[in-house]
Amino acid sequence: MKVFTRVAGLVILGALVLIGPVSVPAATPPAGSIGPTPGSSTTWTGGPYVVPTPLPDACPPASDPANLRCDHFMLTVNVPTSYWATHTGGADIQISWTSSDDDFDLYVYDNTGNLVGQSASGGSTVERFLLQNANSDQSPYEVRVVPFLTAAASYNGSATFVSQAGSAPNPPRSTGGLAFAPPATIVDSQRTEGEPVNWIDPLTGAYWESGPWGVSTQQSFIHRSTDGGNQFNIVSPVGVRPQAGPGGGDTDVVTDDQGNAYFVDLESLLELGCAVSNDNGNSWRSNFGCVHTTADDRQWFTIDNGTTSAASDNTVFLGYREELGTHIYSTPGSLGSSDPIGGFVYSNAADTETPLSANPRCGQLRFDPVRRNLYYPCSASDHVELTIGHVNPGQRTGITFHNVQLPISPGGGAVDDLFPVVATDAAGNVYAAWVDTNDNNVYYTASTNGGETWKAPLQVSGADAYSNVMPWVQGGSSGRLAVVWYGSPSNIDSDFMPSWYNNRQASTAFKWYGYASLITNATSTTPTFAQTRFTDQPMNYGQICTGGIGCTVSNGDRTMADFFAVFLDRTDGAMRIVYNDTTSQHHGAHVFETRQVAGPSATGGTVNRSVPTNPVTDPTGDAQSPHYAPTGAGASLPPYDFTNLKLSQPNTQTLRVEMTLNGNPALAAPPPGKTNGLWLTRFQALSVGDQGEEAYRIFYVGAEKPAIGSTTFFAGSGTSAEGPVPGNGCMVTTSENCKVVQYPAEQTATGTIAGNTIRIDVPVQGGFGPNRPILGGKLLNVTALSAGRDGAPYEFYADVDATKSLDYLLSGGGQPPPPPPANGCKVTGGGTIATGAGTEGKFSLNAHVSLQGKVQYRDGAAANFRSTRLTEVTCPTNTHSATINGEGTSNGQPVTFTVKVVDNGESGTSDVFTITLSDGYSRSGTLTSGNVQVH
């Protein structure tokens, strides 16, 4: 028999005898229905609950008719199973409560008692699950709410019917030979940024990238590559944006045919700040209010380089939206460093002060040099509205604009997810692309007469890309269009996928990839589509919230913000893509660049590029510190200047990294302004995140040398933030929002310096820290980088040099040990132990030898603990005892823990619970209430 205390009374389960006044916490109302109307919903409340219930198995309705152990809400979905043959969706079920110190879990059963869905993450105030294809045949569903560990807490529940018409299979798509480089280049090994945008200088080929760091930081970044995109460096001597904040909203960067660079940033949603550089980014002149208005949003640049090669007829156009609608401004191209107007002072380009369009979401402004038209696309409910203005040579103001309504989106929904986008090709044909919110497909349409009339839209996304967001386009030669987007094999709308911030493990069931399509004969009714993934591995897990800053209300996942970009290489027309990858343990918006290496070109002909392989060489003379400064780049530092990176395995259990420099690193002084020199090789590999979820962890080996002293060698991976508790692997500005990746020395490695070569050996398994296996045997995007740092817990490093990226296959011995068994030892239970005079510790646990489950424990102010990851669960034979080891947080600080339990019988009265935390807290005792079971 199990004994549990409740509010102001005693509940003896089984006999269901209630002594004293008790508040019955049953769901109110106890039942509800949704469907067939999309968006129809039902709500209920439940609680309060005090006694922990570790598992839903402990409280099926038959043994818990009064909802004392758990809550039971009966949900009916009013559509037959056949309904889902022509629709996609289901029942969006959610529970929420006030404090993250409490923990409710959500389980859903069909009318035969089968478990059909669950969400049981812990450490949050919401659990959410989309029950796909929910129907009347399986109704009523039981929504079982389990109080894993609560303190007189109540909750709110809701269920919403989600339905989108259309479930026709996607059209098949051939790759057409289209291929992208397996290793991607990491644009910045530290800084994360959503919505990266790229630009290749038509004059010099310099490769620019920019993106916002977020309003919470008031900063944005510019990166620049001078070697074709193999190495990017921060365009700033102080590691942040060229000018001081405020900023961090939306950014764009372009250059003109004189090599002048123009940058714009959103100044905290208030004004637009513009800057111009006449010396390749070394120095910038800024105007913090280049457009004086308030409530600005999403500004874009486009360039008119005029009809001559002179600077005098260049114009920079700036499109943006304010509260009442869109505007287009302009400034002359810069005439040099003494020009007080060009790139600084912007004027209204239109012949009216009235907003050009009142629609809310508008894509990048584009200028067509063939027809000399400006195109500005906005979403207008079920279609795109395109603002068009003809620009005479040399004209910057007084432009007459008009709006054209494009065809209705064929998917039957709105134009959204996110911006509609336009492009023009070399013949002046215009293309528009968007995502339909009903069927989540990418569509495009074409115009051959300057955007006045349009072809019937056609579906771009095919094959396994069923749910799609964030398209971007570039036009090539006549009739050729490059389209990129993020896509998922799941047909569920991205907003209904689980958010990583709410449930890391659940989010990994929904994988996203980058997709690219080259459309040829694109102005005809029978175009040809060549489609492929531009990422071999997932680049995101779970929800991509497309509701803007409103995503933060529901703890939605807006890590990647609103878009990414593609540009065409000026040499061969290859697609060059900058995108976010959030699959590391930190879930940060890490910025990568990938390039087309084979297949048809957007500008005609064929792309044929080599892919870096092990070992890689690196040119000398590119290790300046700093790379950009008002006085010019610093000198190249030979001991930090890579010439070669090589990976090997002296035996199957050991990884060897050899970094060869242009000078002896043992004799190196730190880069200017830093106390230590640093040489790292970093990579990602399929592994386990810090809450047991699938992750492509960042791993690294390194060498560090102070100004005076010897070189040390190390390895590591870094831990992620856990709710409000920061990890050591990434600086955060808000909870779990990774902003600056760090590379702490976590494990000692074996290393030597022989001449100019640093050699480091590290065990493949366990060498980067415990419980961080390398799965699958492939090391991804391996890159060596040199830098300077001071040794602070969180800091910007002085970036010096970096090699090309490569992928490396481990030999057979590098394969990980077998995973824990799916069957075997299991520990469940909940209850209390005495912890002192008048105090008690309350616990709940559910742990399996497969390392699934969680532990939670609370002892007043002394300990408020929850596990984030189980690392070992053991049950010695014939002992009726178990030991659980892992990681977690207590009172807002990271800890490791050991829990030991002894199961002395079903009554639970002699069961023993012991908990030991690495912060010094330790308690043990016989249960004063509750029960533990070792299975």
Side-chain angles (χ1 to χ4, degrees):
M1 182 174 66
K2 304 174 183 178
V3 180
F4 293 84
T5 58
R6 286 201 61 83
V7 178
L10 177 66
V11 180
I12 305 178
L13 296 179
L16 291 175
V17 177
L18 306 180
I19 303 175
V22 173
S23 173
V24 178
T28 305
S33 63
I34 59 175
T37 304
S40 58
S41 63
T42 184
T43 61
W44 71 97
T45 60
Y49 283 92
V50 176
V51 176
T53 301
L55 280 175
D57 302 356
C59 54
S63 64
D64 187 31
N67 289 26
L68 297 174
R69 297 293 308 279
C70 303
D71 221 350
H72 309 275
F73 178 81
M74 308 309 292
L75 175 67
T76 298
V77 181
N78 295 315
V79 295
T81 304
S82 58
Y83 176 88
W84 300 112
T86 55
H87 296 77
T88 59
D92 180 22
I93 304 170
Q94 180 173 273
I95 57 172
S96 63
W97 56 97
T98 303
S99 172
S100 60
D101 288 341
D102 297 310
D103 187 4
F104 286 97
D105 293 335
L106 172 66
Y107 299 86
V108 182
Y109 298 82
D110 66 16
N111 56 15
T112 65
N114 292 319
L115 179 66
V116 292
Q118 67 183 67
S119 180
S121 56
S124 68
T125 59
V126 63
E127 298 287 0
R128 186 179 184 184
F129 173 72
L130 179 66
L131 179 58
Q132 297 184 50
N133 301 342
N135 58 79
S136 58
D137 301 326
Q138 293 180 318
S139 294
Y141 293 94
E142 180 211 345
V143 179
R144 191 176 303 177
V145 180
V146 178
F148 187 80
L149 190 66
T150 60
S154 299
Y155 74 93
N156 296 308
S158 68
T160 302
F161 186 65
V162 178
S163 175
Q164 297 173 325
S167 62
N170 264 351
R173 291 286 187 251
S174 166
T175 67
L178 200 65
F180 287 79
T185 299
I186 184 163
V187 172
D188 195 314
S189 61
Q190 281 201 283
R191 299 160 186 82
T192 66
E193 59 181 41
E195 52 194 43
V197 65
N198 56 352
W199 177 273
I200 298 177
D201 191 314
L203 181 69
T204 65
Y207 195 153
W208 297 77
E209 182 278 335
S210 178
W213 206 29
V215 174
S216 66
T217 69
Q218 295 295 298
Q219 292 290 342
S220 298
F221 300 125
I222 303 173
H223 297 89
R224 186 170 181 261
S225 172
T226 58
D227 63 358
N230 293 324
Q231 173 183 326
F232 289 85
N233 295 100
I234 188 76
V235 181
S236 166
V238 293
V240 291
R241 76 179 197 156
Q243 69 270 45
D250 303 319
T251 73
D252 204 356
V253 63
V254 296
T255 63
D256 62 20
D257 60 5
Q258 309 300 307
N260 300 311
Y262 306 88
F263 173 68
V264 62
D265 196 358
L266 182 60
E267 310 286 354
S268 298
L269 298 175
L270 297 177
E271 291 186 333
L272 302 181
C274 302
V276 61
S277 175
N278 304 106
D279 57 4
N280 300 317
N282 282 301
S283 61
W284 297 81
R285 295 174 294 133
S286 305
N287 180 354
F288 291 98
C290 62
V291 175
H292 290 286
T293 184
T294 58
D296 299 326
D297 193 18
R298 196 53 270 170
Q299 72 282 2
W300 309 98
F301 274 144
T302 193
I303 288 283
D304 172 12
N305 279 316
T307 57
T308 73
S309 60
S312 57
D313 61 353
N314 288 351
T315 303
V316 182
F317 289 101
L318 172 63
Y320 71 95
R321 188 182 188 279
E322 49 85 32
E323 187 175 357
L324 298 178
T326 61
H327 298 269
I328 298 175
Y329 273 51
S330 68
T331 184
S334 179
L335 299 179
S337 59
S338 61
D339 180 1
I341 303 297
F344 286 96
V345 180
Y346 286 75
S347 303
N348 185 10
D351 60 0
T352 178
E353 295 294 330
T354 303
L356 303 176
S357 173
N359 288 297
R361 285 193 175 180
C362 301
Q364 191 177 51
L365 179 69
R366 294 289 177 93
F367 175 74
D368 172 26
V370 178
R371 295 180 183 271
R372 297 199 55 81
N373 283 346
L374 283 167
Y375 300 105
Y376 198 4
C378 297
S379 58
S381 186
D382 61 358
H383 65 282
V384 175
E385 179 178 82
L386 186 65
T387 299
I388 305 174
H390 181 72
V391 183
N392 294 316
Q395 185 180 13
R396 299 187 178 104
T397 59
I399 300 170
T400 299
F401 292 93
H402 67 284
N403 292 329
V404 173
Q405 310 304 315
L406 274 59
I408 293 175
S409 181
V415 171
D416 208 330
D417 291 344
L418 261 272
F419 298 111
V421 286
V422 295
T424 62
D425 65 22
N429 300 308
V430 195
Y431 307 93
W434 63 92
V435 171
D436 188 292
T437 59
N438 187 56
D439 63 8
N440 300 312
N441 285 318
V442 181
Y443 290 93
Y444 94 102
T445 181
S447 171
T448 58
N449 61 357
E452 299 302 326
T453 61
W454 293 81
K455 308 287 186 182
L458 295 172
Q459 183 176 332
V460 178
S461 52
D464 63 345
Y466 283 98
S467 188
N468 306 284
V469 297
M470 301 185 190
W472 202 261
V473 291
Q474 292 290 351
S477 59
S478 180
R480 292 188 173 226
L481 180 68
V483 187
V484 298
W485 68 93
Y486 296 144
S488 172
S490 170
N491 61 8
I492 297 301
D493 185 286
S494 64
D495 285 330
F496 292 105
M497 295 178 183
S499 167
W500 185 90
Y501 294 106
N502 291 331
N503 193 326
R504 297 187 186 187
Q505 293 192 14
S507 71
T508 61
F510 298 85
K511 295 175 172 58
W512 290 83
Y513 301 85
Y515 287 84
S517 178
L518 180 64
I519 309 173
T520 53
N521 202 20
T523 59
S524 75
T525 57
T526 56
T528 300
F529 299 88
Q531 176 182 309
T532 192
R533 292 178 179 176
F534 66 76
T535 61
D536 285 351
Q537 290 78 37
M539 39 65 59
N540 184 69
Y541 293 122
Q543 183 187 76
I544 300 176
C545 187
T546 58
I549 58 176
C551 296
T552 57
V553 176
S554 62
N555 210 27
D557 192 344
R558 196 172 174 255
T559 304
M560 298 186 296
D562 297 338
F563 65 89
F564 69 108
V566 60
F567 208 86
L568 300 183
D569 196 282
R570 65 176 190 149
T571 61
D572 59 0
M575 294 185 225
R576 307 296 297 268
I577 301 170
V578 288
Y579 67 99
N580 287 132
D581 186 321
T582 69
T583 60
S584 79
Q585 68 269 36
H586 307 298
H587 195 68
H590 309 290
V591 183
F592 285 86
E593 195 271 352
T594 190
R595 65 205 66 181
Q596 182 186 352
V597 295
S601 165
T603 56
T606 302
V607 175
N608 185 9
R609 295 180 173 222
S610 61
V611 175
T613 57
N614 182 54
V616 295
T617 59
D618 194 69
T620 59
D622 61 347
Q624 291 84 10
S625 182
H627 283 269
Y628 298 90
T631 56
S636 185
L637 308 178
Y640 296 88
D641 192 356
F642 291 110
T643 62
N644 190 276
L645 169 64
K646 180 182 178 181
L647 274 64
S648 61
Q649 290 180 261
N651 57 64
T652 55
Q653 288 77 40
T654 304
L655 175 67
R656 172 170 291 171
V657 175
E658 294 174 286
M659 298 175 278
T660 303
L661 290 306
N662 194 35
N664 189 344
L667 305 177
K674 295 296 182 180
T675 62
N676 291 6
L678 180 68
W679 299 264
L680 281 172
T681 292
R682 58 153 279 166
F683 58 88
Q684 287 179 255
L686 180 61
S687 184
V688 178
D690 294 324
Q691 291 186 8
E693 75 280 6
E694 177 181 300
Y696 284 84
R697 289 193 77 100
I698 296 172
F699 297 90
Y700 52 88
V701 299
E704 187 166 10
K705 182 183 181 300
I708 300 175
S710 58
T711 303
T712 58
F713 305 94
F714 63 91
S717 180
T719 57
S720 64
E722 302 279 356
V725 181
N728 69 352
C730 194
M731 185 192 83
V732 299
T733 53
T734 56
S735 179
E736 298 186 342
N737 185 8
C738 171
K739 289 297 187 181
V740 187
V741 177
Q742 306 294 309
Y743 299 88
E746 295 183 309
Q747 303 288 315
T748 300
T750 302
T752 60
I753 297 177
N756 293 353
T757 298
I758 300 171
R759 174 184 289 177
I760 304 174
D761 289 351
V762 61
V764 173
Q765 304 298 340
F768 301 92
N771 306 301
R772 296 168 175 176
I774 292 178
L775 307 170
K778 188 175 185 180
L779 312 185
L780 305 169
N781 309 322
V782 184
T783 308
L785 57 101
S786 58
R789 69 181 181 186
D790 296 325
Y794 306 109
E795 61 175 311
F796 285 127
Y797 302 165
D799 69 325
V800 183
D801 196 14
T803 66
K804 294 189 287 288
S805 296
L806 62 95
D807 286 354
Y808 180 76
L809 290 174
L810 294 169
S811 60
Q815 293 297 315
N823 298 309
C825 173
K826 182 178 181 180
V827 189
T828 62
T832 57
I833 59 172
T835 58
T839 63
E840 66 178 11
K842 181 189 294 187
F843 71 91
S844 186
L845 57 88
N846 172 19
H848 194 277
V849 69
S850 64
L851 305 184
Q852 299 299 307
K854 57 185 176 179
V855 178
Q856 199 157 342
Y857 175 85
R858 188 178 303 146
D859 179 9
N864 185 1
F865 167 79
R866 71 175 183 90
S867 66
T868 57
R869 185 182 182 193
L870 306 186
T871 59
E872 185 181 34
V873 179
T874 58
C875 302
T877 305
N878 299 323
T879 63
H880 302 289
S881 65
T883 300
I884 307 167
N885 293 308
E887 302 163 356
T889 65
S890 183
N891 293 334
Q893 297 299 318
V895 293
T896 58
F897 76 93
T898 297
V899 166
K900 296 182 178 181
V901 297
V902 180
D903 178 5
N904 286 320
E906 180 60 23
S907 70
T909 55
S910 59
D911 292 349
V912 179
F913 175 87
T914 302
I915 183 169
T916 303
L917 306 180
S918 59
D919 63 3
Y921 180 91
S922 181
R923 296 291 188 275
S924 181
T926 301
L927 269 59
T928 55
S929 69
N931 189 7
V932 294
Q933 292 181 322
V934 178
H935 309 273

